[in-house]
Amino acid sequence: MADMASAGKSPSLDMSAGTTAGTDSTPWQRAATGANLLSPDGTLGVTIFEEMTTLALSTGAINLGQGFPDEDGPAEIKAAAQSAIAQGANQYAPGKGTAALREAIATHQQRFYGLNPDPDTEVLVTTGATEAIAATLLAFIQPGDEVLTFEPFYDSYGAIIGMAGGNHVTAPLLAPDFLPDLAELEDSFSSRTKIVLLNNPHNPTGAVFPEPVLTRIVELAAKYGAIIVSDEVYEHLTFGVRHIPITSLPGAAERTITISSAGKTFSFTGWKIGWLSGPAELVAAVRTVKQFLTYSSGTPFQSAIAVGLALPDEFYTGIANTLRHKRDILAEGLRAAGFGVYNPSGTYFINVDTAPLGIRDSVDLARRLPGLVGVAAIPVPVFCHPEGAERTRSLLRFAFCKKADVLEEAAARLATLKDRL
């Protein structure tokens, strides 16, 4: 029983402790530090997505910051979810996912890539790709283990690595193609490298890794005994280039967990249906952790996504072609604005260089852009460690997963930027 002196008091939090994400800090502090949310003086900030969304709302700007579509996906998938709800699929799904969805995932992997995961032991359904990433890292990382990502990196990677007590090591992706220097890539590996966390197609750069790059990653992972975790949520959103699952390359399958989700492919990000596949022993380890996070989720949505994965090839080519057209609309406005434009090979995102406008600080410009022209974007340095932030200091990321008329309006607004600066 609490004594009278402490009864009724709220626990205090030392906001300054553990800002270097050391093992003596608390998990939340390590997560915040890993996601670049905790400053050296201990100030806890908000994510850049929240900051830019707030700015967009307050100024009436078009929000091309956060990567979510502004229209729903296929009607037949929505109808399948509604039907599942009406038919009573509203209780817990099995912890590893419904049989229908696991079988659909296995069939999808065979159909598109010639892979044959066992739906009973080598496929796991998760609450979005984010949980798949978190459960995987928490399953295998011990304090002091190194996790290698490519930089810039999706902010959730740093957060989970920090939460698990791992050391986050990065290998730079270099403009204009945003691919790693293969001659120097091994410098990022060590005897402590436990996981290579790959995002391909890559957010935020839009790069699609070609086979020579993937082959070198497999060679180095094998040499250093590392697990490969491949986040492939944009697998169907590539423009004129082929997505190659790294697990399909020689020597990769026995050490690779492949992650994807329904959110990006089908434009149902709010449903949070993700999955992973890989060797049975690795999947079992991840399932052990995952069952104590959410256990299961989205029963009627799982049934609907199983329907979606069986859609004809025309659907998959159609979504990529539509998105490519949207990319080109926005790119035209960005070039008219005076930016240096890096055309992406995949994903929802296009990156620009602000240096041709005489601006070197993309963070500052991102904060001014909603007021200047009524468009919000995300500065790329926030996806980097300090050295990488300096290297990408003049880069901005825009999302083009919006309606065409919204992008046309954004392009027209951006074209006025040079006159407004």
Side-chain angles (χ1 to χ4, degrees), residues 311-347:
L311 288 173
D313 290 353
E314 290 76 14
F315 164 77
Y316 290 95
T317 56
I319 57 173
N321 289 337
T322 297
L323 199 58
R324 183 176 189 165
H325 174 63
K326 292 179 176 182
R327 176 201 67 179
D328 294 343
I329 292 172
L330 184 58
E332 183 178 351
L334 292 167
R335 290 191 186 96
F339 291 117
V341 178
Y342 298 108
N343 239 22
S345 297
T347 77

Coordinates of all heavy atoms in Angstrom, one line a residue, residues 311-347:
L311 N -6.9 -10.1 -57.3 CA -7.4 -9.2 -58.4 C -6.5 -9.5 -59.6 O -5.3 -9.9 -59.5 CB -7.3 -7.8 -58.0 CG -8.4 -7.3 -57.0 CD1 -8.1 -5.8 -56.6 CD2 -9.8 -7.4 -57.6
P312 N -7.0 -9.3 -60.8 CA -6.2 -9.6 -62.0 C -5.0 -8.7 -62.2 O -4.9 -7.6 -61.6 CB -7.2 -9.4 -63.2 CG -8.2 -8.4 -62.6 CD -8.3 -8.8 -61.1
D313 N -4.1 -9.1 -63.1 CA -2.9 -8.4 -63.4 C -3.2 -6.9 -63.8 O -2.4 -6.0 -63.5 CB -2.1 -9.1 -64.5 CG -1.5 -10.4 -64.0 OD1 -1.6 -10.7 -62.8 OD2 -0.9 -11.1 -64.9
E314 N -4.3 -6.7 -64.5 CA -4.6 -5.4 -65.0 C -4.8 -4.4 -63.8 O -4.5 -3.2 -63.9 CB -5.9 -5.4 -65.8 CG -5.8 -6.1 -67.1 CD -5.8 -7.6 -67.0 OE1 -6.2 -8.2 -65.9 OE2 -5.5 -8.3 -68.0
F315 N -5.2 -4.9 -62.7 CA -5.3 -4.0 -61.5 C -3.9 -3.5 -61.1 O -3.7 -2.3 -60.9 CB -6.0 -4.7 -60.3 CG -5.8 -4.0 -59.0 CD1 -6.5 -2.8 -58.7 CD2 -4.8 -4.4 -58.1 CE1 -6.3 -2.1 -57.5 CE2 -4.6 -3.8 -56.9 CZ -5.3 -2.6 -56.6
Y316 N -3.0 -4.4 -61.0 CA -1.7 -4.1 -60.5 C -0.9 -3.2 -61.5 O -0.2 -2.2 -61.1 CB -0.9 -5.4 -60.2 CG -1.4 -6.1 -59.0 CD1 -2.3 -7.2 -59.2 CD2 -1.0 -5.8 -57.7 CE1 -2.8 -7.9 -58.1 CE2 -1.5 -6.5 -56.6 CZ -2.4 -7.5 -56.8 OH -2.9 -8.2 -55.7
T317 N -1.0 -3.5 -62.8 CA -0.4 -2.6 -63.7 C -1.1 -1.2 -63.8 O -0.4 -0.2 -63.9 CB -0.4 -3.2 -65.1 OG1 -1.7 -3.5 -65.5 CG2 0.5 -4.5 -65.2
G318 N -2.4 -1.2 -63.5 CA -3.1 0.0 -63.6 C -2.8 0.9 -62.4 O -2.6 2.2 -62.6
I319 N -2.6 0.4 -61.2 CA -2.3 1.3 -60.1 C -0.9 1.9 -60.3 O -0.7 3.1 -60.0 CB -2.4 0.6 -58.7 CG1 -1.5 -0.6 -58.7 CG2 -3.8 0.3 -58.4 CD1 -1.4 -1.3 -57.3
A320 N 0.0 1.2 -60.8 CA 1.4 1.7 -61.1 C 1.3 2.8 -62.2 O 2.0 3.9 -62.0 CB 2.3 0.6 -61.5
N321 N 0.6 2.5 -63.3 CA 0.5 3.5 -64.3 C -0.2 4.8 -63.9 O 0.2 5.9 -64.3 CB -0.2 2.9 -65.5 CG 0.6 1.9 -66.2 OD1 1.8 1.8 -66.2 ND2 -0.1 1.0 -66.9
T322 N -1.2 4.7 -63.1 CA -1.9 5.8 -62.6 C -1.0 6.7 -61.7 O -0.9 7.9 -61.8 CB -3.2 5.4 -61.8 OG1 -4.1 4.8 -62.7 CG2 -3.9 6.6 -61.2
L323 N -0.3 6.0 -60.8 CA 0.6 6.7 -59.9 C 1.8 7.4 -60.7 O 2.2 8.5 -60.3 CB 1.2 5.7 -58.9 CG 1.8 6.3 -57.6 CD1 0.7 7.2 -56.9 CD2 2.3 5.2 -56.7
R324 N 2.2 6.7 -61.7 CA 3.3 7.3 -62.5 C 2.8 8.6 -63.2 O 3.6 9.6 -63.2 CB 3.7 6.3 -63.6 CG 4.9 6.8 -64.5 CD 5.3 5.7 -65.5 NE 6.5 6.1 -66.2 CZ 7.2 5.2 -66.9 NH1 6.9 3.9 -67.0 NH2 8.3 5.6 -67.5
H325 N 1.6 8.6 -63.7 CA 1.0 9.8 -64.2 C 0.9 10.9 -63.2 O 1.3 12.1 -63.4 CB -0.4 9.5 -64.8 CG -1.1 10.8 -65.3 ND1 -0.7 11.5 -66.3 CD2 -2.3 11.3 -64.8 CE1 -1.5 12.5 -66.5 NE2 -2.5 12.4 -65.6
K326 N 0.6 10.6 -62.0 CA 0.5 11.6 -60.9 C 1.9 12.1 -60.5 O 2.1 13.3 -60.3 CB -0.2 11.0 -59.6 CG -1.6 10.6 -59.8 CD -2.2 10.0 -58.6 CE -3.7 9.8 -58.8 NZ -4.3 9.2 -57.5
R327 N 2.9 11.2 -60.6 CA 4.3 11.7 -60.3 C 4.7 12.7 -61.3 O 5.3 13.8 -61.0 CB 5.2 10.5 -60.5 CG 6.7 10.8 -60.3 CD 7.6 9.8 -61.0 NE 7.4 9.7 -62.4 CZ 8.1 8.8 -63.2 NH1 9.0 8.0 -62.6 NH2 7.9 8.8 -64.5
D328 N 4.3 12.5 -62.6 CA 4.7 13.4 -63.7 C 4.0 14.8 -63.5 O 4.6 15.8 -63.9 CB 4.4 12.8 -65.0 CG 5.3 11.6 -65.3 OD1 6.3 11.4 -64.6 OD2 4.9 10.8 -66.2
I329 N 2.8 14.8 -63.1 CA 2.0 16.0 -62.9 C 2.8 16.9 -61.8 O 3.1 18.1 -62.0 CB 0.6 15.8 -62.4 CG1 -0.2 15.2 -63.5 CG2 0.0 17.1 -61.9 CD1 -1.6 14.7 -63.1
L330 N 3.1 16.3 -60.7 CA 3.8 17.0 -59.6 C 5.2 17.4 -60.1 O 5.6 18.5 -59.8 CB 3.8 16.2 -58.4 CG 4.4 16.9 -57.1 CD1 3.6 18.1 -56.8 CD2 4.4 15.9 -55.9
A331 N 5.9 16.5 -60.7 CA 7.3 16.8 -61.1 C 7.3 18.1 -62.0 O 8.3 18.9 -61.9 CB 7.9 15.6 -61.9
E332 N 6.3 18.2 -62.9 CA 6.3 19.4 -63.7 C 6.2 20.7 -62.9 O 6.9 21.7 -63.2 CB 5.1 19.3 -64.7 CG 5.1 20.5 -65.7 CD 3.9 20.3 -66.7 OE1 3.3 19.3 -66.7 OE2 3.7 21.3 -67.4
G333 N 5.4 20.7 -61.9 CA 5.2 21.9 -61.0 C 6.5 22.1 -60.2 O 6.9 23.3 -60.0
L334 N 7.1 21.1 -59.8 CA 8.4 21.2 -59.0 C 9.5 21.8 -59.8 O 10.3 22.6 -59.4 CB 8.8 19.9 -58.4 CG 7.8 19.3 -57.3 CD1 8.1 17.9 -57.0 CD2 7.9 20.2 -56.1
R335 N 9.6 21.4 -61.1 CA 10.6 21.9 -62.0 C 10.3 23.4 -62.3 O 11.2 24.2 -62.3 CB 10.7 21.1 -63.3 CG 11.2 19.7 -63.1 CD 11.5 19.1 -64.5 NE 11.9 17.7 -64.2 CZ 11.1 16.6 -64.3 NH1 9.8 16.8 -64.6 NH2 11.5 15.4 -64.1
A336 N 9.0 23.7 -62.5 CA 8.7 25.1 -62.7 C 9.0 26.0 -61.5 O 9.3 27.2 -61.6 CB 7.2 25.2 -63.0
A337 N 9.0 25.4 -60.3 CA 9.3 26.1 -59.1 C 10.8 26.4 -59.0 O 11.2 27.3 -58.2 CB 8.8 25.3 -57.9
G338 N 11.6 25.7 -59.8 CA 13.0 25.9 -59.7 C 13.8 24.9 -58.9 O 15.0 25.0 -58.8
F339 N 13.1 23.9 -58.5 CA 13.8 22.8 -57.7 C 14.6 21.9 -58.7 O 14.3 21.8 -59.9 CB 12.8 21.9 -57.0 CG 12.1 22.6 -55.9 CD1 10.7 22.7 -55.9 CD2 12.8 23.0 -54.7 CE1 10.0 23.3 -54.8 CE2 12.1 23.5 -53.6 CZ 10.7 23.7 -53.7
G340 N 15.7 21.3 -58.2 CA 16.3 20.2 -58.9 C 15.5 18.9 -58.5 O 15.3 18.6 -57.3
V341 N 14.9 18.2 -59.5 CA 14.0 17.2 -59.3 C 14.6 15.8 -59.6 O 15.2 15.6 -60.6 CB 12.7 17.3 -60.2 CG1 11.8 16.1 -60.0 CG2 12.0 18.6 -59.9
Y342 N 14.5 14.9 -58.6 CA 15.0 13.5 -58.7 C 13.8 12.6 -59.0 O 13.0 12.4 -58.1 CB 15.7 13.1 -57.4 CG 16.9 13.9 -57.1 CD1 16.9 14.7 -56.0 CD2 18.1 13.7 -57.8 CE1 18.0 15.5 -55.7 CE2 19.2 14.5 -57.5 CZ 19.2 15.3 -56.4 OH 20.3 16.1 -56.1
N343 N 13.6 12.2 -60.2 CA 12.4 11.4 -60.6 C 12.5 10.0 -59.9 O 13.5 9.3 -60.2 CB 12.3 11.2 -62.1 CG 11.0 11.8 -62.6 OD1 10.4 12.6 -62.0 ND2 10.6 11.3 -63.8
P344 N 11.5 9.6 -59.1 CA 11.6 8.3 -58.5 C 11.3 7.2 -59.4 O 10.5 7.3 -60.3 CB 10.6 8.4 -57.4 CG 9.6 9.4 -57.9 CD 10.3 10.4 -58.8
S345 N 11.8 6.0 -59.1 CA 11.5 4.8 -59.8 C 10.4 4.0 -59.2 O 9.9 3.0 -59.7 CB 12.7 3.9 -59.9 OG 13.8 4.5 -60.6
G346 N 9.9 4.4 -58.0 CA 8.8 3.8 -57.3 C 8.4 4.5 -56.1 O 8.9 5.6 -55.8
T347 N 7.4 4.0 -55.4 CA 6.8 4.5 -54.2 C 5.8 5.7 -54.5 O 5.5 5.9 -55.6 CB 7.8 5.0 -53.1 OG1 8.4 6.3 -53.5 CG2 8.9 4.0 -52.9

